Structure formats: structure tokens, C-alpha cells
Amino acid sequence: MSIDLLQAERPLFSYPKFQARSEKAAPFLPMSRQEMKKLGWDSCDIILVVGDAYVDHPSFGMAVIGRTLEAQGYRVGIIAQPEWHNKDAFMALGKPNLFFGVSAGNMDSMINRYTAERRMRHDDAYTPDNEGGKRPDRAVLVYTQRCKEAYKSVPVVIGGIEASLRRIAHYDYWSDKVRRSVILDAKADILLYGNAERPLLEVAYRLSQGEQIKEMQDIRGTAVLTKEALPNWDGIDSRKVDQLGKIDPIINPYADINVACATQKLADQSLNEDPTEVITIQPEQYRPAKKKPWENTYIQLPSFEKVSQDKVSYAHASRIMHQETNPGCARALAQYHGERLVWINPPAYPLTTEEIDSVFGLPYQRVPHPSYGEAKIPAYDMIKFSINIMRGCFGGCTFCSITEHEGRVIQSRSEDSIIKEIETIRDSVPGFTGVISDLGGPTANMYRLKCKSPKAEQTCRRLSCVFPDICHHMNTDHEHTINLYRRARKLSGIKKILIASGVRYDIAVEDPRYVKELVEHHVGGYLKIAPEHTEKGPLDKMMKPTMSSYEVFKEMFEKYSKAAGKKQYLIPYFISAHPGTTDQDMINLALWLKSNNFKLDQVQNFYPSPLANATTMYHTGKNPLHKISKESEEVFTAKGGRQRKLHKAILRYHAPENWPLIRETLKKLGLARKLIGKGPNHLVPPESRNEAQGIVTQTKFTTNNKPTQSAVTRHTGSAQFKKSAAGNKAAKTGSAKAKLGSNKPVALDRGKTGAKKVVKFTTNKSMPR
């Protein structure tokens, strides 16, 4: 989106360099005293503590933060994945001169450690050799407390996605209760939310000038603890902001959009007036600038004690918080936790193109720190040949936390900056074969898309620019993206540019030129898109478009693939057990999958992440997208092991171990006669004699006599999809054993009977986008 009216008071790198230093950038930010000594340092100004392995790459948050601080003259050290059971590892680099910066890493530590069913994982893609258990649960809390134990007088600044999504009282899925703001539980001095380069540099500069961190209470993009509201700020009770679902009219965002037309009309009228008319000029009277309604204004949210006990109040607070995310017009938020007030300043202004270019142009080595030797870090291997071209997402999907962290404003890099990074990868990254694995970001095709009206953009409070329909002020012209693709393809030494980020197909179909360009040149056989569901009920709760957009995109995709002479496939993503999804909705989705000859190899249930709108639905049973009251809309949510297992099982309707549970549900819904049978329109076959005796015969189940194709659900990567496809191909040639359709009897898992389960079906690790 345009950021013409969303400019910060000063450019990102306009602060004087710390102690007027002009040191050369370190090859890697030091992780040991030995490295500090080689650099000639006796101490670090800032020490970053992070739950990920240190990879000096712009896709890893702490590398970005570290290099950004370094560019301002600060000496920055990194303590990556420290042993957290005592303070020793936190003293490895000595006492920092200014502050500790703490982050759990690129992922929330709880999502990283536990599955959607709260089962512990034993791997970690951000750790050398994919080893699990190298970071604690709730890493921000643990790391902050250890920093305080190591050096009590040193301020601790917390940030990253884990802190961002816990800045106010929030529902915690893993403990099934509402927890306090993380700044209280961690005992941190200040919390930075969002990507945070701008507030971070301001905090660092003010500390370097001798200001106490407790005095920094008004920095955008931060949350702090106070005893009362800041001086000279006007407060509003949240109940006055949102009564019966109505948001108070701050300003009409489109009021001045037609001002040019009105001016032209007056000009046209003047052509017919007498040119000799006498005009009297009056001296202009001074009018003081009118204060905008959001300036120096805060909203008092219900207290932690209230929202933790009353689900309606929680849903109300969530609704208000999501209305205050536009940097142009957001008001501060205040929420009491006992006698302490959590004060959340309005979001930081987004980076300009020049600023984000500067951040991505810093001297990253683009490889893991040498101390890891030959160990593989899966998260790095996945992105080492990919390029992030933008930040932010205006889709507003309720299950996704990107908007709450990065914001809705699209911050795009310049074409020159992106091309330069491609050339850097080509010329310097080990193992590069000429294929760029992705030009994308949170979404593949929002690059340089923006609101046509800067005035509307500054004051708009819509949760999504594309739901329920694409806003008529949203520019959907993909010309900039097309030009970028074409220029990138022409570079010497570049064989292929792939697009691996998810394509927002409802926007793509608005510009068929983009779909054609994408399909002809940038699909590596598979393209990920995310319909998420087929039924209107859950789609509305997700804030996703209807399947009509999918069908239009699918038709375009197949048309252009055929014209290019390529066999290419769409990979649709689906979510099971999302709030608002009934058993009937899941049955309808399964029927759609069967009619389209899809088989889901891996399935992901909805994962309630902190602060997401869908998580509010899951916890409260209320819909924060509309008015909130005790009588307002109730949202059904699949909860409990059995219900969530059922929704997951229905998506894998073709798997024999799921048939008993699906049959039971179909009987309850009165659909047994219609959907249980051996015909092409039936969902599952009737119980066989072998099943009744405790043995499943894995026979192929009819799907309209057409070849079946694999599909995936959210969080399953294309690598896993290709591996699955290769396995299916091997099965056809007889090289794979005990696959579906082998007719080999398999003992049914009977739980307490101890019967052996022969075939295993796994779910992929959750990777929120």
C-alpha cells in the first residue's frame, strides 16, 4: 500500500553513529570472546539473545536486527540458543554497555515445540542437525529472567514474534487460559512489536545518550509498564468505541477522494461567468490546526482480571485491538493488570522503499555462523536461495498472525535492490545451481500493490482489503511484479526463477497477465494456493474468498499451462477444525476433494496462535469480526481430542483407519444411505467382514474412475509434496511396499488391546506463514 501519509518523523538511519564509529562490518557478529578479541573489542554495546541458531541471512530476524544496529556504529554480539538452566551462558560475552535484546527466534517457541494437538515435537528446523529441545518453552520469559540474573542493572528489550503476539492479555492454547502480557511475566523493561527496526534504533540511540529506559514511554511500536496513563493523553473507554458492534466514526476515509472532481466542476462553471466580475479579496484568518481524533488518545481496554474471567469481554478487547493497527490512525491501548498498566503505543510507521532497501543491503554473509561446521540447519537450507521482496499482508486471514506482527501496509523493496540480491546469491552463496527458489514474502503477489487513495489508507480501519470483496480503492495491477520477474529471468547465470510463496488467487485473477506470466515461467511443476475450505460458513470466519475465485484461477492456470505445453499442478491447502466449521462442513469439503480426485497426504488441524482473530473465536465462541455482546453470534468450534480427530479424519476420507469414525458420523447426520457404499459418489465403503474382525484390507477406493492426485493441508511444504508424489510413482512401479492399495491385511489399532499398528501416517510441522 502507499505510504505517502505514513511517514515517520525521521529516516531510519538518520541517527548519529554511536561514538562516531566508522568500523568495518564484522564478518559475523561475534558469538564468543575469541571473536570479540579478533575484532579488537573489549565489550559489546548490545547483546542479542535468540532461540534460533545464528544464520547471517536477511530471512533470520536476529541477523537483520544485529546488522541494522551494527550499521549505526554499535558493537553487537549474539548468544544463540544458550543453555538456559543457569545464568552462565548469558555471561559468555560479558556485560553489555547498553542493553540485552531478547527474542525466541523466527518462530514462537511454543508452536516450534508442540503440535496442534499439544504433542511434543522432537525436531527443530532452526537448530543444527534439526535437533529438538535446544530452546525452552516460553523462551522470551526464560531468557529475560536469565539476563536479569546475569546483570541485574542492564535493561532487557524483548521483541520478535513471540513477544509481539503477547503484548496484551492473550489466550494461551497450551495452558488453556488467558495469560498476562508477556512484559509482566518476563519482567522486561520494554517490549518492541512488529519488525521493529524503527523503534529499536530509537531505543538504542536514547540509551546511548544517557536516557533511562523507564523514561521511554512514548515510542511508537513499543509496549511499556506504567502506573497510570501518560500525561496529556485523552482516554476513551473501549465500551464507548464499540457499542453493539459499531466502531466510532473517527473520520470518513473517503471524504476527500472526489475533491479533484469538485474542483474541476467549479472550474467548468467559471467558464460561463462574466470575466469582468469584481472579486473582493478578504485577508485569511488564522485557524489553528485541528487535532486529529486519534492523536494523543488512548483506549482503555477491559482489565486482565476482567478478560480472563469473562469471554465476552475478551472478545470485545480483541476486536478493539485489531481495529487499532493502522499506523496512520491507531490510538494507544491501555490495559490494567492489577495495579500495573500495560501501555501499548500506536504501531511504528512502515519502512519506506529506500529504508527497506538499506536494511536488505547490509553486509550479510548469507550462511550460518562457522561454529556450526558441517551441521545442516533445515530452515536455512529451505530459504538460502530465496529472496524476500516485501513485508506485510492486507489479506487479514483470521487464523494467521502476520497482520498482527508485520501489519497490513505492504512495504516493498525496489526492483534494483532485489536484482542486486539475486546477483549476490549467484556470485557468492555456496551450492547455487542457477535456480532462485522463491521471489516472495508473506504472499507471492502483493508486491507494490497499494491503496489508490493515500487519505483513505491513512485512516482506514478495515481488517482486510480483499474481504468480503476486493476494496475498489485497492490497486490490483501486477505490472510491477511482472516486470520484476522478466528482469530477473534475463540475468546471466540464472536458469530459473520459482515462486514458492502462496499466491493470493483472488487478487491474481484480477490481472490475467500475471497468471499467464506466472504459469509460463515460474511454476516448478507445483503451485501452492490456499482455498482453506469450500464452505461459506468457515470461509467467512477465516475471511477468505469463496470457491468461485479458486475455480476462475484454476481455469486460467490450466489454460496457460496447456498453452505452454506444460504439465503443472495446483497444490491446494486446507485447514481442519477451524472455528465456524461443523461436521457437515467437513463432509462437504471431503466430497469436494473426492469429486476433484484429491487425496490429502498430510493434514493440519487449526492451531490457535496468540492474538489471532480465529483464536478469539476458539476461546470465546464469539465472532470478533462483528458486534460483540452476550447475545451476539455464537461460533461453533471443534474442541477436544475426539472432535478435532474427526475433522482431521474426514479430510483423509480415503484412509481405511478413518472409515469407522467417518461412518459413525455419517449415521448421526442421517447421511449413511447417501454416502456409505461402493459407488463413485459414496464417501466411504461399508464395513467389510475383515474390518468387523479387526483387520483392514487396504483396497483402492473408487474416485470417479479418474487418476487421483495428492494434495496437502496448510504447513506442508512443496518438498514434502514432491516426496509424496515420488512415493506414489514408486508404488505404481512396484518399488514401494505396503502402500495404500497393496491389498495387504494390516492389523487395526485397537488402543488398549495392544494390537500392532503397521502403517504410520504423520503430520508435518506447523510453520505459520
Side-chain angles (χ1 to χ4, degrees), residues 15 116 123 239 594 672 676:
Y15 296 98
D123 59 353
R239 291 170 295 181
K594 189 168 186 288
I676 298 176

Side-chain angles (χ1 to χ4, degrees), residues 443-446 470 478 502-512 514-515 518 527-534 539 544-554 556-557 570-574 714 769:
T443 304
N445 58 316
M446 288 186 182
I470 298 175
H478 287 60
V503 173
R504 186 81 193 203
Y505 55 83
D506 53 337
I507 304 174
V509 298
E510 295 293 312
D511 192 341
Y514 172 75
V515 181
L518 177 71
L527 181 68
K528 295 185 292 185
I529 58 173
E532 312 294 6
H533 215 284
T534 57
L539 286 173
K544 293 287 290 186
T546 62
M547 288 300 286
S548 59
S549 296
Y550 169 84
E551 296 297 341
V552 173
F553 182 82
K554 180 175 180 287
M556 286 185 180
F557 181 87
L570 292 177
I571 306 177
Y573 280 60
F574 298 97
R714 177 159 301 286
R769 68 169 190 174

Side-chain angles (χ1 to χ4, degrees), residues 125-333:
Y126 292 87
T127 300
D129 291 327
N130 203 24
E131 184 180 356
K134 288 295 184 179
R135 76 185 82 206
D137 292 353
R138 310 189 193 284
V140 168
L141 273 65
V142 177
Y143 289 163
T144 301
Q145 291 164 8
R146 290 291 179 261
C147 290
K148 289 290 187 182
E149 290 175 17
Y151 302 104
K152 186 176 181 180
S153 62
V154 176
V156 177
V157 178
I158 60 175
I161 194 164
E162 182 167 309
S164 260
L165 301 186
R166 291 169 170 78
R167 55 188 182 264
I168 64 171
H170 56 280
Y171 172 71
D172 183 81
Y173 173 64
W174 302 274
S175 59
D176 194 25
K177 68 178 184 180
V178 176
R179 292 180 64 98
R180 303 191 303 174
S181 168
V182 70
I183 192 173
L184 274 160
D185 286 345
K187 299 180 175 61
D189 294 283
I190 193 170
L191 181 155
L192 312 186
Y193 66 91
N195 291 109
E197 290 98 341
R198 202 180 294 285
L200 179 70
L201 290 187
E202 182 172 350
V203 168
Y205 174 72
R206 289 168 68 170
L207 281 172
S208 72
Q209 298 303 299
E211 187 174 345
Q212 297 297 308
I213 198 162
K214 63 182 179 181
E215 298 171 0
M216 303 178 196
Q217 298 184 328
D218 60 348
I219 300 175
R220 278 180 165 267
T222 68
V224 297
L225 287 175
T226 68
K227 292 183 178 179
E228 57 187 6
L230 301 189
N232 303 317
W233 284 67
D234 299 322
I236 303 174
D237 190 307
S238 65
R239 291 170 295 181
K240 295 182 179 180
V241 177
D242 185 35
Q243 289 184 341
L244 300 178
K246 182 180 180 181
I247 298 296
D248 63 323
I250 285 185
I251 189 172
N252 180 354
Y254 309 124
D256 296 336
I257 287 176
N258 295 321
V259 65
C261 298
T263 304
Q264 184 62 49
K265 184 177 180 180
L266 291 174
D268 294 341
Q269 289 176 349
S270 68
L271 296 176
N272 300 321
E273 295 175 355
D274 183 356
T276 61
E277 180 182 359
V278 177
I279 300 176
T280 303
I281 300 177
Q282 298 289 344
E284 183 179 0
Q285 295 182 351
Y286 170 74
R287 294 182 180 180
K290 186 177 180 181
K291 175 186 172 184
K292 295 182 175 63
W294 55 83
E295 292 180 343
N296 281 49
T297 302
Y298 72 93
I299 298 177
Q300 186 73 55
L301 297 175
S303 68
F304 162 73
E305 289 75 17
K306 181 70 172 177
V307 300
S308 63
Q309 298 297 324
D310 180 11
K311 292 183 177 181
V312 173
S313 295
Y314 183 97
H316 163 78
S318 173
R319 175 169 164 80
I320 297 300
M321 190 279 296
H322 282 87
Q323 295 287 348
E324 302 298 327
T325 57
N326 184 343
C329 63
R331 293 164 285 194
L333 300 174

Side-chain angles (χ1 to χ4, degrees), residues 574-578 586 603-606 644 647-648 651:
F574 298 97
I575 298 178
S576 55
H578 189 279
M586 294 305 300
V603 173
Q604 175 70 56
N605 268 341
F606 167 67
R644 286 170 66 85
H647 282 206
K648 198 170 183 178
L651 278 184

Side-chain angles (χ1 to χ4, degrees), residues 692-745:
Q693 295 174 356
I695 296 178
V696 176
T697 300
Q698 293 191 334
T699 55
K700 240 177 211 179
F701 185 45
T702 305
T703 49
N704 298 332
N705 297 318
K706 295 180 182 178
T708 60
Q709 51 185 326
S710 295
V712 292
T713 54
R714 177 159 301 286
H715 315 306
T716 302
S718 59
Q720 285 85 354
F721 180 85
K722 293 175 182 178
K723 183 177 179 181
S724 172
N728 291 342
K729 184 176 180 181
K732 291 178 182 178
T733 62
S735 60
K737 298 180 180 180
K739 296 289 182 178
L740 194 63
S742 67
N743 294 320
K744 180 179 179 179

Side-chain angles (χ1 to χ4, degrees), residues 1-3 6 167 319 321-327 347 350 390-398 400 402-411 446 449-451 457 460-466 474 543 613 625:
M1 299 170 87
S2 169
I3 54 176
L6 301 180
R167 55 188 182 264
R319 175 169 164 80
M321 190 279 296
H322 282 87
Q323 295 287 348
E324 302 298 327
T325 57
N326 184 343
M390 41 78 73
R391 289 178 178 174
C393 180
F394 52 72
C397 302
T398 62
C400 181
I402 286 177
T403 299
E404 285 76 27
H405 183 61
E406 292 194 359
R408 291 180 180 83
V409 179
I410 301 301
Q411 303 164 70
M446 288 186 182
L449 298 189
K450 59 184 181 181
C451 185
E457 178 189 50
C460 183
R461 291 173 182 270
R462 282 185 62 163
L463 298 182
S464 170
C465 300
V466 292
M474 174 54 62
M543 292 179 67
N613 266 318
L625 306 180

Side-chain angles (χ1 to χ4, degrees), residues 329 381 414 420 551 574 596 613 615 645 661 737 745 752:
C329 63
D381 289 338
S414 70
K420 184 178 179 180
E551 296 297 341
F574 298 97
N596 285 272
N613 266 318
T615 301
K645 181 181 178 181
L661 188 57
K737 298 180 180 180
K752 293 182 179 180

Side-chain angles (χ1 to χ4, degrees), residues 31 33 88 316 421 605 756:
M31 292 178 62
R33 287 278 196 172
D88 295 348
H316 163 78
E421 185 172 353
N605 268 341
K756 187 177 180 181

